[in-house]
Amino acid sequence: MKTKQENLLNVPNALSAYRLFALPFILYAIYTANRNLFILLISINLISDILDGLIARLFNLQTEFGAKLDSVADIGTYLMAFLGMITLEKAFVSNYKVEFIILIALWIIPQLCALIKFRRFPSFHLWSYKVTGYVQGIFIFSYFTVGFYQPYFYLMLLISSLAYLEELILVLMLPQLRSNLKSIFLVSLRKLT
């Protein structure tokens, strides 16, 4: 039986590839403590993350390769965002170190569990992760442009933690890693039917 060949040369994959290509430049902005360049590049990465998924869904360009590429680009962008906060905002991170440790641990644990169990990162593209991306992106952008707002920070932590826990539960319960699952509830419904 022939399998359908994926079209790898498409706009969503190009946007994900751009995000990977931008990572060394974001790292350079962090290393040189160039806050303006950091916020510009991380914002472009966050916006292109929104666009690649939207374009893929709207124009039916979703591919397994694209899901994996997007996930790797997401991981790189998250790492750069965390590194930027830790490096450029040492006092802020120090004041909220427990919160940052919890957030980073909850994000890393599902990634490590997937690497151990499946030998690759998860690419679930959960709705909760999409919401988390928006909420975190707004937090990072607003933090660097207008300042810190504590209630939103704790809202971001709560939403992020719930999304990371959903991903961890899926990694632990699934017998094989699959892409584009959307929600633990949809996975559970499929198991019931």
Side-chain angles (χ1 to χ4, degrees), residues 34-48:
N34 187 333
R35 291 170 56 97
N36 291 336
L37 182 60
F38 169 76
I39 192 60
L40 174 68
L41 293 175
I42 205 78
S43 294
I44 292 171
N45 262 32
L46 294 169
I47 291 167
S48 66

Side-chain angles (χ1 to χ4, degrees), residues 124-162:
F124 297 140
H125 294 98
L126 301 170
W127 290 327
S128 63
Y129 247 71
K130 292 180 190 324
V131 170
T132 296
Y134 297 134
V135 170
Q136 287 180 352
I138 291 167
F139 170 75
I140 291 168
F141 181 77
S142 65
Y143 178 88
F144 281 97
T145 56
V146 294
F148 176 62
Y149 182 61
Q150 189 178 46
Y152 189 81
F153 174 69
Y154 282 107
L155 176 66
M156 182 269 299
L157 289 175
L158 176 65
I159 291 170
S160 301
S161 297
L162 292 173

Side-chain angles (χ1 to χ4, degrees), residues 16 47 71 75 83 87-88 106 112 123 134 147 155 165 168 185 187 191:
S16 294
I47 291 167
S71 292
I75 289 168
L83 185 61
T87 304
L88 300 174
L106 286 174
L112 292 177
S123 54
Y134 297 134
L155 176 66
L165 289 171
L168 177 60
F185 301 110
V187 172
K191 285 187 173 191

Side-chain angles (χ1 to χ4, degrees), residues 13-79:
N13 289 353
L15 289 170
S16 294
Y18 161 78
R19 290 195 344 262
L20 285 173
F21 178 73
L23 295 177
F25 297 98
I26 297 171
L27 187 60
Y28 171 79
I30 294 167
Y31 177 74
T32 59
N34 187 333
R35 291 170 56 97
N36 291 336
L37 182 60
F38 169 76
I39 192 60
L40 174 68
L41 293 175
I42 205 78
S43 294
I44 292 171
N45 262 32
L46 294 169
I47 291 167
S48 66
D49 184 25
I50 293 167
L51 290 176
D52 72 359
L54 184 65
I55 293 168
R57 286 186 298 281
L58 284 175
F59 296 99
N60 198 24
L61 296 171
Q62 294 170 300
T63 63
E64 186 67 25
F65 173 78
K68 291 175 184 174
L69 182 65
D70 179 63
S71 292
V72 172
D74 286 347
I75 289 168
T77 301
Y78 286 135
L79 288 174

Side-chain angles (χ1 to χ4, degrees), residues 52 119 133 182:
D52 72 359
R119 293 186 177 84
K182 306 302 178 208

Side-chain angles (χ1 to χ4, degrees), residues 113-125:
C113 288
L115 277 176
I116 292 166
K117 186 174 179 181
F118 303 112
R119 293 186 177 84
R120 73 177 178 98
F121 293 116
S123 54
F124 297 140
H125 294 98

